[in-house]
């Protein structure tokens, strides 16, 4: 798999943005919207976005693969946030529009996190302490440990005994996807998106309540063919008219690992959609457990997908669990 940029912190919009005093279509209760203007952002231009690789923005929860206790583990996103008192002070400071810098007390102003928590790559530090971003949060990660109830859906996509993960990626065939097993060692230092039945309302229609399915998608692994020109009107027309544009957004992987994005919300467009492009793509199942000297749990998604090994479905969301259970 080609290595592109990793998602360690919030990705900025590829265009300059403006606030509109209109109810948000993304966050219920939010009284404003963040919309893209017609100008590319300074960061996008500095990163040479015109030579970047355009990829599909996948709607899931961000994960990271790194070593934990000397073996590769899946890590879940956990941003360290300020306490209620500190956040109140910070919001008051923001509304004052003071020209000075806000002073944080790292030892007292932030909520406690598990001992294994680590800050994300690229987080600025002062005197050995990570500094929050412009929103007052410190992006970070926590290892997904075996037996964790909080991260049970993360765990369903990996098997630590065999050091493997269930990954959705492009197959060698044109427009064909593949669900396959990938060693976690091959995914070290990569970020991925966990998608599936119990993630973000399941916009892709994966699995069911009886048979949930969760898969990992490497960031940057789903390139967009023939992306539209980097003009706002062209972008808006593409999102509205193209069959391949039924996606949450675009992430551009620029040089030196810089990432910028454009979400449908930045154009005032809705998401999720009834029939997203990812869910409508054909997929083959390549999950062979015969080479693993391990007895997987009978209810494991690894086992059910192995029963469909070699099968091909016209649409990803049409994977037949009935065939796997027979």
């Amino acid at each position: 798999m080609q290595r592109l940029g990793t998602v360690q912190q919030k990705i900025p919009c590829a265009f300059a943005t403006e606030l509109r005093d209109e109810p948000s279509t993304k966050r219920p209760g939010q009284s404003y919207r963040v919309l893209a203007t017609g100008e590319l952002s300074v960061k996008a231009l500095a990163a040479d976005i015109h030579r970047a690789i355009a990829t599909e923005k996948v709607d899931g929860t961000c994960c990271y693969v790194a070593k934990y206790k000397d073996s590769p583990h899946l890590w879940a996103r956990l941003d360290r946030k300020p306490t209620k008192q500190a956040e109140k002070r910070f919001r008051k400071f923001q509304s004052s529009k003071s020209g000075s810098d806000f002073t944080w007390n790292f030892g007292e102003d932030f909520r406690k996190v598990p001992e294994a928590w680590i800050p994300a790559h690229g987080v600025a530090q002062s005197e050995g302490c990570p500094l929050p971003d412009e929103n007052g949060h410190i992006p970070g990660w926590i290892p997904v440990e075996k037996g964790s109830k909080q991260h049970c859906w993360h765990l369903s996509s990996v098997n630590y005994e065999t050091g493997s993960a269930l990954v959705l990626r492009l197959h060698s065939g044109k427009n064909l996807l593949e669900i396959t097993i990938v060693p976690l060692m091959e995914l070290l230092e990569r970020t991925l998106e966990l998608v599936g039945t119990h993630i973000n309302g399941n916009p892709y229609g994966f699995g069911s309540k009886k048979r949930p399915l969760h898969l990992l998608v490497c960031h940057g692994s789903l390139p967009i063919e023939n992306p539209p020109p980097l003009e706002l009107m062209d972008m808006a027309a593409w999102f509205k008219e193209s069959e391949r544009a039924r996606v949450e957004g675009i992430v551009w992987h620029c040089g030196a690992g810089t990432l910028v994005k454009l979400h449908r919300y930045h154009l005032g467009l809705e998401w999720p959609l009834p029939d997203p492009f990812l869910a409508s793509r054909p997929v083959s199942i390549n999950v062979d457990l015969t080479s693993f000297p391990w007895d997987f749990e009978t209810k494991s998604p690894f086992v059910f997908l192995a029963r469909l090994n070699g099968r091909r479905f016209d649409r990803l969301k049409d994977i037949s669990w009935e065939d796997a259970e027979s």
Side-chain angles (χ1 to χ4, degrees), residues 28-50:
Q30 183 173 292
S31 61
Y32 62 90
R33 302 169 75 180
V34 180
L35 298 175
T37 67
E39 300 293 330
L40 287 170
S41 70
V42 173
K43 185 169 186 176
L45 290 171
D48 199 5
I49 188 174
H50 291 93

Side-chain angles (χ1 to χ4, degrees), residues 5-43:
T6 60
V7 181
Q8 292 286 338
Q9 302 185 49
K10 185 176 180 180
I11 304 175
C13 183
F15 290 82
T17 58
E18 61 181 5
L19 296 181
R20 296 268 185 91
D21 291 327
E22 305 169 359
S24 172
T25 57
K26 182 179 182 181
R27 295 184 175 90
Q30 183 173 292
S31 61
Y32 62 90
R33 302 169 75 180
V34 180
L35 298 175
T37 67
E39 300 293 330
L40 287 170
S41 70
V42 173
K43 185 169 186 176

Side-chain angles (χ1 to χ4, degrees), residues 93-106:
F93 170 82
Q94 286 183 312
S95 62
S96 70
K97 299 181 180 180
S98 172
S100 60
D101 293 330
F102 184 80
T103 302
W104 293 98
N105 183 325
F106 183 79

Side-chain angles (χ1 to χ4, degrees), residues 74-270:
L74 190 66
W75 294 62
R77 175 58 65 99
L78 178 64
D79 291 357
R80 191 167 187 180
K81 299 179 180 180
T83 62
K84 288 184 178 180
Q85 295 84 354
E87 185 170 12
K88 187 176 181 180
R89 286 193 295 109
F90 181 57
R91 299 306 173 201
K92 184 177 180 179
F93 170 82
Q94 286 183 312
S95 62
S96 70
K97 299 181 180 180
S98 172
S100 60
D101 293 330
F102 184 80
T103 302
W104 293 98
N105 183 325
F106 183 79
E108 299 179 1
D109 287 345
F110 292 92
R111 299 177 187 178
K112 300 297 182 182
V113 290
E115 185 178 352
W117 179 87
I118 59 172
H121 293 334
V123 170
Q125 298 205 9
S126 175
E127 298 181 355
C129 296
L131 298 176
D133 58 20
E134 67 275 9
N135 297 312
H137 298 174
I138 306 175
W141 306 102
I142 182 173
V144 176
E145 299 196 63
K146 187 176 179 181
S148 169
K149 292 183 179 180
Q150 178 185 2
H151 298 122
C152 60
W153 306 124
H154 291 70
L155 284 170
S156 70
S157 68
V158 295
N159 182 279
Y160 289 143
E161 285 76 15
T162 60
S164 56
L166 286 174
V167 173
L168 175 66
R169 64 185 185 185
L170 281 180
H171 190 271
S172 56
K174 187 177 182 181
N175 195 40
L176 182 65
L177 298 175
E178 173 187 51
I179 297 175
T180 191
I181 296 176
V182 176
L184 283 168
M185 281 296 294
E186 290 186 14
L187 301 173
L188 273 180
E189 296 304 320
R190 299 204 64 167
T191 57
L192 313 92
E193 205 75 7
L194 179 72
V195 296
T197 310
H198 295 285
I199 306 296
N200 288 0
N202 195 17
Y204 305 110
F206 287 3
S208 64
K209 185 176 181 179
K210 179 182 177 182
R211 183 56 58 199
L213 175 63
H214 299 88
L215 304 169
L216 293 165
V217 182
C218 292
H219 289 137
S221 64
L222 300 176
I224 291 178
E225 295 183 11
N226 303 315
L230 286 163
E231 299 288 343
L232 200 63
M233 291 185 64
D234 292 316
M235 285 286 170
W238 181 77
F239 273 109
K240 293 176 183 177
E241 300 167 6
S242 173
E243 177 185 356
R244 291 178 173 268
R246 299 195 312 273
V247 297
E248 185 190 21
I250 301 176
V251 176
W252 285 271
H253 289 250
C254 309
T258 301
L259 305 178
V260 291
K261 70 181 180 183
L262 182 66
H263 196 291
R264 297 182 72 91
Y265 290 128
H266 289 135
L267 300 172
L269 302 176
E270 292 185 356

